[in-house]
């Protein structure tokens, strides 16, 4: 039993719904009680879908238990088949149904439906949403392709000259992060180097499209959380190499293109990508102020790892925290964390995340909507980079994360919540000007009620963090502290107290303040 | 409209018939009520014993609103618990210990059972008893079911209150007292208190109160007035302890609120003149406020999909005070003793359905094409995309809509989608 306040991922069957919902002609009959129908709203409200997800819930009640839940399942299955006429029917258990063991798979087999049925094992008590999506996608692909698997010693023939090189884009799904725009961006980018996209799945694919997967030269595992197991199976059975670089960030996108051309054995056209604006934006003088900004990253593994690299190499931030809630991908995050010299945070307990964030004292948090709330409470700037996300993270405008345009979007999104360079500078110069003082939020955030906490609050929040009750600030020191620009004041206070406690001092005067400043200057 | 038409005359009309439906339901389970209960009862903690699904449901229903540290959580069962490798009771005690360690301000912990905990027959009643002993004098423990196999949406609150009834002290006398049932927002509760005071009705208690320890005494003198339509089992348990239910419409709109207060006034034999004096001004205000919305609502057709059990009284309000035409009223369950009055106030021809068979019901909505459909969040956008206007029912649970002063706001919730429709040119 685990005490859970907020959960990053839903149960595995929500992952199954994501895959069914992403595709055309697929329906899922989920053996479950009525409350589980809440999952519909994730799709219709958060992603604003204009149709109900293709799921029929059996909604059994206590009075059905023991006697008639199996019958109810069969009735729901037949009615759903009749009404929705899917090309493929998925059947599975939610957590409660898993306990009553009606075996939807064998029940469905006995029903002799006019369409193929693929049973799902969703392991509600040990797994979570992304695993459920991955497992469902894998079951579908394997279910449809297992009969056409070639002999084990089969060798993939070289591509004929008439055929253009092609790949499949695997993994994008509804309720994923910016999948709709990512696939558009990556398809365009691949087109630029003469590579066709054979099948994109599950998002937008029909069962017949899945049958065409083996025709491509390679598979791009675009969202490894969802696509890795499928890609591995395809590699083993259809000898399709996997393209593993996730093209988030400028360098990663370049490496992605390189990997594609290598695995497809084609030339990388020596081409400029004028749409790639991040490098110049990052080098322009205004961005100087971004140097060394302390950033804390917590997300799904794929987006967390990509964000850390962008933060460090493409924006010159300092990564002060890196973690993920996806235990399945923990290893990769650990490796990355080591590179940035931080302790990896692998947890799905948001309270631990909150604690780490407040200890790390970042200036920017990149996370999920949970971290947005944490950051809001701590008065720290924040951008959402991964699921779970809320309705405003499914924007109307084109805003991919992948490819060069994705990197442009990322630059804008991450820099926006920070104080803009020049503005920050002016604030410091004019901090005593009565009209232009620290209580005024940065102008570009004014409409949002300000991204930075008001003075009084932030001092309070600071003292929360550093238990300054242990110290007495002399009035002169306190006054001096007030002269420090407010956006670094919290840090100054913390550093001074840290310094004081290291020196065993309890009273802080102006000298202590400057000694601490010198001490931490390195 | 004149008073004669509007005011409930206490007479009930012939019954209209009710169609029972059975099939796929699209209603949340009782765990959902934690979302408003924990805001109301400010010193209580709600611990669901369930699965990740349960945790995800509560947070999704709450609109993923993250409060500093929520006063609800889920003890998520894992393989180890189910395989018997871990003793569920020991595990529960451990998890409760974690909650207690984090929240020293908590006076009551509700142990809320879910489908999984009920299917594996984890006895939370026993657990509550055991924990009450362990934390005697410090924390009270109460168990109830919020599972989807036993409860539908607002029934979760009924189940919660019912389990608290056991702990209500005996009044020990037959003196009349009034007990108002069902969560009301604090602002509405305060308005109601003032009116009761004005009418000379008392003592009045609200159940649930703002603290879990507010346990009003009950006895044969207790008169029950339901402020929410979903408190049926709570009423039954209180009746078993001698309380009597006052028959009244629910306090929605001018007419409903008037009838509701009149039921109490009659029981306290408040003279008509005094009743008019106290209720007159708010009643006029309510009528005025509602009338501002009337022109937009009159003649418009509305369907309710089953959700919170608020359907009948809301339909009555919209029909009688706002002139809306009722196409179909679906309700998850129909409880005769609480709904009698409301039902008698509905047009005899109205299509009333209890339970749900989702897809055929949606087909009817598509055929009927009402001007407005009240439904759950999962269904609203799909219907909007089909060109139908909707109102999310859950908003009716979170917004103060009861009483005279809120009557206009209540009507406003229904005019907004129509105003929007009229204004949008895209
Ligand atoms: S229906 Fe049952 S399993 Fe589903 S969320 Fe509600 S209590 Fe949990
Ligand atoms: S505050 Fe956060 S959770 Fe609440 S509605 Fe806004 S985005 Fe959603």
């Amino acid at each position: 039993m685990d005490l859970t306040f907020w959960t990053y991922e839903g149960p595995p069957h929500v992952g199954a719904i994501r895959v069914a919902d992403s595709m055309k002609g697929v329906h899922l009959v989920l053996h479950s009680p009525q409350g589980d129908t809440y999952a519909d709203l994730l799709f219709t409200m958060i992603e604003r879908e204009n149709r109900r997800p293709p799921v029929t819930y059996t909604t059994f009640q206590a009075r059905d238990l023991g006697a008639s839940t199996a019958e109810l399942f069969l009735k729901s299955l037949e009615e759903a088949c009749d009404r929705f006429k899917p090309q493929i029917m998925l059947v599975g258990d939610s957590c409660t149904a898993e306990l009553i063991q009606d075996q939807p798979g064998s029940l469905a087999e006995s029903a002799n439906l006019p369409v193929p049925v693929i049973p799902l094992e969703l392991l509600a008590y040990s797994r979570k949403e992304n695993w459920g999506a991955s497992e469902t996608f894998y079951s579908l692909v394997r279910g449809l392709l297992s009969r056409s698997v070639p002999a084990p010693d089969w060798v993939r023939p070289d591509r004929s000259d008439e055929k253009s090189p092609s790949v499949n884009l695997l993994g994008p799904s509804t309720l994923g992060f910016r999948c709709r725009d990512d696939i558009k961006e990556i398809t365009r980018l691949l087109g630029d180097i003469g590579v066709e996209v054979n099948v994109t799945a599950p998002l937008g694919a029909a069962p017949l499209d899945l049958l065409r997967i083996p025709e491509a030269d390679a598979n791009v595992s675009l969202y490894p959380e969802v696509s890795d197991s499928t890609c591995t199976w395809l590699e083993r059975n259809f000898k399709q190499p996997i393209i593993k670089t996730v093209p988030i960030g400028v360098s990663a996108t370049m490496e992605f293109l390189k990997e594609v051309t290598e695995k497809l054995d084609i030339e990388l056209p020596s081409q400029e990508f004028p749409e790639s604006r991040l490098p110049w934006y990052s080098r322009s003088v205004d961005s100087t102020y971004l140097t060394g900004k302390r950033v804390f990253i917590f997300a799904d593994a794929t987006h967390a790892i990509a964000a850390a690299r962008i933060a460090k190499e493409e924006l010159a931030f300092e990564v002060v925290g890196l973690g993920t809630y996806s235990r399945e991908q923990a290893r990769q995050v650990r490796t990355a964390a080591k590179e940035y010299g931080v302790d990896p945070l692998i947890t799905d307990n948001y309270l631990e995340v909150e604690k780490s964030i407040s200890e790390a004292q970042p200036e920017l948090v990149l996370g999920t909507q949970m971290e947005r709330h944490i950051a809001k409470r701590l008065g720290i700037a924040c951008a959402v980079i991964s699921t779970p996300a809320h309705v405003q993270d499914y924007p109307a405008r084109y805003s991919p994360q992948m490819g060069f345009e994705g990197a442009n979007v990322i630059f804008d999104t991450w820099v926006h919540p920070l104080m803009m360079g020049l503005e920050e500078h002016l604030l410091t110069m004019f901090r005593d000007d009565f009209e232009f003082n620290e209580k005024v939020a940065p102008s570009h955030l004014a409409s949002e009620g300000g991204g930075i906490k008001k003075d009084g609050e932030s001092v309070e929040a600071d003292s929360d963090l550093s238990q300054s009750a242990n110290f007495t600030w002399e009035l002169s020191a306190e006054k001096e502290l007030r002269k420090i620009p407010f956006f670094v004041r919290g840090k100054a206070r913390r550093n001074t107290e840290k310094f004081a406690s290291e020196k065993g001092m309890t009273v802080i005067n102006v000298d202590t303040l400057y000694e601490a400043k010198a001490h931490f200057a390195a | 409209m004149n008073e004669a038409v509007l005011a409930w005359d206490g007479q009930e009309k012939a019954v209209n018939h009710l169609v029972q439906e059975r099939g796929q339901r699209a209603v949340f389970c009782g765990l959902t009520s934690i979302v408003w209960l924990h805001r109301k009862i400010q010193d209580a903690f709600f611990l669901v014993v369930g699965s990740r699904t349960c945790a995800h449901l509560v947070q999704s229903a709450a609109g993923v609103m993250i409060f500093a540290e929520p006063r609800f959580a889920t003890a998520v069962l894992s393989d180890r618990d189910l395989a018997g490798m871990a003793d569920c009771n020991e595990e529960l005690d451990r998890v409760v210990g974690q909650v207690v360690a984090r929240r020293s301000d908590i006076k009551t912990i509700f142990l809320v059972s879910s489908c999984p905990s009920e299917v594996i027959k984890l006895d939370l009643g026993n657990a509550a008893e055991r924990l009450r002993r362990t934390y005697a004098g410090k924390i009270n423990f109460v168990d109830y079911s919020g599972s989807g196999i036993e409860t539908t949406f607002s029934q979760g609150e009924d189940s919660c209150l019912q389990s608290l009834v056991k702990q209500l002290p005996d009044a020990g006398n037959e003196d009349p007292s009034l007990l108002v049932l069902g969560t009301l927002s604090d602002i509405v509760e305060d308005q109601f208190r003032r009116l009761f005071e004005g009418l000379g009705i008392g003592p009045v208690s609200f159940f649930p109160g703002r603290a879990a320890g507010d346990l009003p005494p009950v006895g044969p003198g207790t008169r029950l007035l339901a402020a929410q339509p979903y408190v049926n089992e709570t009423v039954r348990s209180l009746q078993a302890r001698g309380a009597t239910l006052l028959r009244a419409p629910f306090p929605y709109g001018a007419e409903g609120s008037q009838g509701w207060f009149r039921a109490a006034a009659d029981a306290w034999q408040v003279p008509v003149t005094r009743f008019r004096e106290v209720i007159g001004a708010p009643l006029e205000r309510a009528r005025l406020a509602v009338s501002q919305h009337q022109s937009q609502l009159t003649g418009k057709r509305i369907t309710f999909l089953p959700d919170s059990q608020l359907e009948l009284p809301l339909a009555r309000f919209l029909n009688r005070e706002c002139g809306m035409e009722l196409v179909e009223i679906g309700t998850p369950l129909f409880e005769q003793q609480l709904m009698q009055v409301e039902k008698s106030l509905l047009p005899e021809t109205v299509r009333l359905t209890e339970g749900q068979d989702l897809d055929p019901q949606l087909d009817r909505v598509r055929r009927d094409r009402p001007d407005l459909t009240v439904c759950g969040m999962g269904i609203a956008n799909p219907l909007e995309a089909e060109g139908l206007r909707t109102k999310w029912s859950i908003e009716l649970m979170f917004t103060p809509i009861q009483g005279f002063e809120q009557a206009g706001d209540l009507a406003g919730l229904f005019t907004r989608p129509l105003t929007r429709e009229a204004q949008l040119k895209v």
Side-chain angles (χ1 to χ4, degrees), chain A residues 33-36 95-96, chain B residues 29 31 51 53-54 57 114-116 146-149:
Chain A
Q34 62 185 345
D36 295 10
C95 52
T96 310
Chain B
C29 58
L31 295 184
S51 64
T53 317
C54 307
L57 165 117
S114 67
C115 307
S147 79
I149 54 177

Side-chain angles (χ1 to χ4, degrees), chain A residues 13 32-38 60 94-97 125, chain B residues 27-32 48-58 74 112-118 145-151:
Chain A
H13 71 252
S32 64
Q34 62 185 345
D36 295 10
T37 60
Y38 79 89
F60 56 82
S94 76
C95 52
T96 310
Y125 296 94
Chain B
V27 194
F28 294 163
C29 58
L31 295 184
T32 320
V48 177
V49 181
S51 64
R52 184 163 307 278
T53 317
C54 307
H56 203 225
L57 165 117
V58 182
T74 307
V112 191
S113 67
S114 67
C115 307
S117 79
E118 287 171 16
S145 169
S147 79
I149 54 177
E150 293 288 355
T151 62

Side-chain angles (χ1 to χ4, degrees), chain A residues 313-334:
Chain A
E313 298 177 5
E314 301 180 11
L315 293 167
F317 289 164
E318 184 192 351
V319 176
V320 294
L322 179 60
T324 185
Y325 56 83
S326 17
R327 290 189 190 273
E328 283 95 344
Q329 277 81 22
R331 198 171 45 80
Q332 293 93 305
V333 175
R334 287 208 171 89

Side-chain angles (χ1 to χ4, degrees), chain A residues 166-183:
Chain A
S166 69
V167 295
N168 301 311
L169 302 183
L170 302 185
S173 70
T174 51
L175 281 187
F177 197 71
R178 308 287 164 89
C179 293
R180 173 197 72 190
D181 298 343
D182 282 348
I183 51 186

Side-chain angles (χ1 to χ4, degrees), chain B residues 243-410:
Chain B
T244 27
L245 175 67
L246 300 179
R247 287 204 308 166
F250 290 94
Y252 301 116
E255 178 193 33
S257 305
Q258 187 188 12
W260 193 75
F261 277 102
R262 202 172 108 184
D266 287 349
W268 262 258
Q269 291 163 349
V270 177
V272 177
T273 45
R274 177 145 187 212
F275 186 73
R276 289 228 172 103
E277 244 171 63
V278 175
I279 298 296
L283 180 63
E284 272 321 302
R285 280 199 296 273
R287 284 181 182 155
L288 180 69
V290 173
S291 72
Q292 321 265 358
H293 297 279
Q294 236 161 24
S295 65
Q296 267 176 291
L297 295 175
T298 302
K300 293 285 189 325
R301 301 162 63 248
I302 189 166
T303 284
F304 285 83
L305 297 190
D307 209 57
S308 59
Q309 299 187 56
L310 264 59
E311 296 84 6
L312 264 77
L314 290 176
R316 179 263 303 157
F317 162 71
L318 291 168
N319 174 246
R320 291 171 60 100
E321 293 185 49
C322 305
M324 288 188 91
E325 198 183 306
L326 306 175
V327 180
E328 172 168 340
I329 312 174
T331 184
L333 71 165
F334 177 85
E335 300 289 359
Q336 182 67 24
Q337 76 163 348
L338 282 174
M339 282 301 164
Q340 226 172 1
V341 173
E342 292 291 350
K343 194 164 169 235
S344 73
L345 293 171
L346 292 171
E348 277 168 64
T349 50
V350 72
R351 201 195 297 155
L352 262 183
T353 51
E354 180 188 14
Q356 189 168 29
D357 190 3
L358 178 64
D359 286 309
Q361 189 166 41
L362 290 177
D363 287 344
R364 291 201 295 278
V365 173
R366 292 179 183 116
R367 237 184 359 253
D368 296 333
R369 297 201 67 81
D371 297 295
L372 206 54
T373 303
V374 183
C375 61
M377 284 196 284
I379 297 169
N381 266 338
L383 288 180
E384 291 280 346
E386 293 181 34
L388 294 159
R389 296 290 77 82
T390 60
K391 167 88 246 129
W392 319 332
S393 44
I394 201 154
E395 201 176 345
L396 299 160
M397 306 302 293
F398 297 146
T399 317
I401 54 173
Q402 298 81 2
F404 297 110
E405 314 302 349
Q406 281 67 237
D409 303 340
L410 177 57

